[in-house]
Amino acid sequence: MIRAPRAVPAWLAHPFRWQRLPVPWAAVARGALCAGPLLGAGIATGHPAPGVLTGLGSMLAGVNDRPGTRRTGIVHIGLPALASGLGMLMGASLQTVGAGWWVVPALFAVGFVSGAGSVAGPVRSNAGMQMLATTVLGAGMPLPGAPWAKALYVLAGCLWLLLLRLVVRSPRPTGGALSGERAAVATVFDALSGALAAAGGPGAEAARRRLTAALDRADEALRLRRLTGRLLRRTAGTQELLLTERFAAATALCEASVALLWEARPLPARVAESPRRFADALRTGQPPGRLSAPETSTPARGAFDQALLDAAVAFARREPSPTQGAAEQGPVPVAREALRALGGRSRPGRGLFGPAGRDYGLRVAVCIAASAAVALLLRADHWYWLPATATFLVKPDLGPLFSRTVNRFAGTLAGVLVFAGAGELLTGSWWPALVAGAGGALLPFAVRHFALQTVAITLMVLSFVYVGGAREAATERIVDTSIACAIVLVVGHLPRLADPRRRVGQRVTSALRATERFLRHVLEAEPGADTTERRALRRAAYRALGEARAAAETAAAELLAARDRNPDWLTVVSAAERIVDAATACAVRLDHGAHRPSIEEAERLCRALAAMADALEDPRRRRDAPVPDGDLRPVPDCATLTDVAAELEHIRGYAGTG
């Protein structure tokens, strides 16, 4: 990530941030083969409306065409595609009644449901946004056809991209049908190697977060494959079971490595090289070769060497262990796994009518309704661009509000100028299809910056609008975008709707509760107990902390961050991350015979962490008693839990602003 100098305020620097990502050439090729050819087919056959709708569907699917396995791609593209079809059905049904002021309350209701459901997870967030966008476009774009036919055309465009994803992809590495899952697990070993190489240095925490993200992606890929097999009543094969064993070995090795990272001492290069050999073995199908020699200088190093040996055994095995096979084929609550696989999290406050859902749903609904009302006042025949622009602007996943509005306006202006220039240089009826194809090819690359993504989308949408009959609409888009930016800025900074205490505080509270559950399990588990539940709780804690960090970073870069009324969320999250690291190191030490704290000491720390989560959850409670006092003295004979107590004191200091 490129960052502006520290002297520049965060809200002003954020619009210029640019992500460094590899160019997804396969996705670029898919984008070029989607909207442009579909729109061109409509022009060639004399049926432009189906070409516009299928091109629109492929564009929306292209926004979600991100790196991952085929199964994760189907989920990340498929669920928003279904939502897009539903939105087009609702919007086109509204259009049959005719434009009128009754559209405003209808869009208010759809906006509330879309926004409230978006807090459940990233996939549902994209689905909610695209449902709202297609509802607006379906209600406003003057295209012929029955509502059900328009919805089917949009779905057909999405399915076309899904088909291309199965055909046009990067060269498949060794691994056959499991190549995507193998690559995901190999990335975990690569990230682990990078984290070990950074141990004791300034980049250790960032490397550990990259490792956590790699674990999340690999876990999702394997979970979706298992879910697919159970839905199809297919028995897991030998290679799939072996890969699951190797991922379990990677998880155990990561746990031991977190203990090494907690010690904050540089490690020999040969230690960091060993996980890299496992990554190469997964990619090539060859044995991992020689690994680093064992050295039991500390409990953490002894645990790492033991986990390394277990991983080597897992890679040497050619048949899955009986325990693994029974676990994979036993009864599993498929419905619950399906919910998790589709991006949902069964956590408090994430429901449609939870505090965060209500506030965000109201924010979206007010913005969309106000945009629609203003648009109907200005031009009742082409009113849809204003609320469609507001749909993308009001989505907090795309960055701080001020940054989104600046980049949206700049991207729209650039897109309109490029489109107008193409119209002057190109002739004939085919040039909008060429522009749409160029925008589709740019879209996968453009994810690194919101303004660039806006340019790509603007080029495609203007092509659709031009073919649909609105030949002089390009200049109006700049005016409409300016008005939408102003509306979203005003509504988005209203005191009730802009307060991050619900949106960010809910995620931080959820992360603290997940941290408390993991810490309690570590301190209360019986010696020699199975570590499966412990590792699952640790993964859940890191995942919740990652979501909390993303929300806190966005809130810190808002124009009106209300820092005088809110805790320092980033400092609280960082302290909670160190608590999970220290608790992991404590678990490793306890496994190797370290002194086990008393029940009173364990309960004291867990109760303090739970009390801080309670105080952060309710702003009124924090005003009355900012963060409860408690005995946070060091735990005798346990350096890791002494660190836990110190970080709890850190949280209390930074979370106690009233």
Side-chain angles (χ1 to χ4, degrees), residues 323-623:
T323 304
Q324 177 65 35
E328 286 294 316
Q329 298 171 18
V332 176
V334 177
R336 187 180 64 191
E337 283 213 4
L339 177 63
R340 292 183 61 203
L342 294 177
R345 302 268 194 260
S346 56
R347 297 178 190 157
R350 291 292 184 93
L352 184 67
F353 299 106
R358 289 196 305 269
D359 285 359
Y360 181 42
L362 186 61
R363 184 182 187 182
V364 173
V366 172
C367 283
I368 297 303
S371 300
V374 172
L376 288 170
L377 280 174
L378 293 177
R379 53 180 74 89
D381 51 343
H382 293 101
W383 60 270
Y384 57 89
W385 188 273
L386 248 171
T389 300
T391 298
F392 294 97
L393 281 174
V394 77
K395 183 176 166 55
D397 309 51
L398 301 177
L401 181 57
F402 178 78
S403 177
R404 293 198 305 275
T405 53
V406 169
N407 286 321
R408 180 72 183 186
F409 179 79
T412 300
L413 178 61
V416 168
L417 293 176
V418 171
F419 185 83
E424 293 294 330
L425 295 175
L426 302 175
T427 58
S429 60
W430 291 88
W431 70 268
L434 296 177
V435 174
L442 177 64
L443 191 57
F445 175 83
V447 296
R448 58 193 66 203
H449 197 276
F450 187 50
L452 193 58
Q453 189 178 41
T454 301
V455 171
I457 292 176
T458 300
L459 288 175
M460 286 188 280
V461 172
L462 287 177
S463 300
F464 302 150
V465 172
Y466 186 91
V467 174
R471 301 296 174 92
E472 305 297 331
T475 54
E476 295 178 358
R477 303 314 176 211
I478 299 177
V479 177
D480 289 349
T481 299
S482 303
I483 297 172
C485 290
I487 291 173
V488 172
L489 276 175
V490 171
V491 174
H493 286 108
L494 292 176
R496 169 76 177 179
L497 301 182
D499 191 352
R501 284 179 292 187
R502 291 191 180 272
R503 177 167 50 88
V504 184
Q506 178 268 325
R507 280 179 166 81
V508 175
T509 300
S510 178
L512 289 180
R513 297 201 187 283
T515 301
E516 187 265 335
R517 287 192 294 270
F518 172 62
L519 178 64
R520 185 177 295 278
H521 180 83
V522 167
L523 299 182
E524 295 181 355
E526 295 294 331
D530 182 42
T531 59
T532 302
E533 183 180 0
R534 183 179 80 197
R535 288 169 184 162
L537 289 172
R538 182 174 63 86
R539 296 291 312 116
Y542 277 134
R543 188 180 295 113
L545 285 165
E547 294 178 357
R549 172 170 287 278
E553 287 175 344
T554 298
E558 292 286 3
L559 176 60
L560 300 177
R563 294 179 181 84
D564 58 329
R565 296 183 289 110
N566 290 285
D568 187 340
W569 300 114
L570 278 174
T571 301
V572 173
V573 172
S574 297
E577 289 172 340
R578 289 190 289 270
I579 288 176
V580 177
D581 290 347
T584 302
C586 179
V588 170
R589 287 169 171 255
L590 292 177
D591 289 344
H592 287 72
H595 167 74
R596 183 170 290 274
S598 66
I599 296 177
E600 292 76 13
E601 291 168 338
E603 184 61 28
R604 173 166 55 87
L605 294 176
C606 294
R607 190 186 305 115
L609 186 55
M612 291 175 190
D614 290 339
L616 286 173
E617 186 174 35
D618 189 346
R620 291 170 299 180
R621 185 186 307 174
R622 191 169 69 252
R623 284 196 299 269

Side-chain angles (χ1 to χ4, degrees), residues 62-140:
V63 173
N64 302 312
D65 188 11
R66 304 296 174 85
T69 66
R70 286 179 296 172
R71 288 170 178 80
T72 57
I74 290 173
V75 171
H76 292 171
I77 296 173
L79 183 63
L82 293 174
S84 298
L86 176 61
M88 180 56 66
L89 180 63
M90 292 189 297
S93 300
L94 291 174
Q95 191 186 62
T96 58
V97 183
W101 287 101
W102 54 268
V103 172
V104 175
L107 291 181
F108 182 93
V110 177
F112 180 84
V113 174
S114 170
S118 296
V119 300
V123 178
R124 294 192 196 180
S125 178
N126 290 332
M129 180 186 68
Q130 293 191 1
M131 180 185 72
L132 179 57
T134 51
T135 301
V136 172
L137 294 174

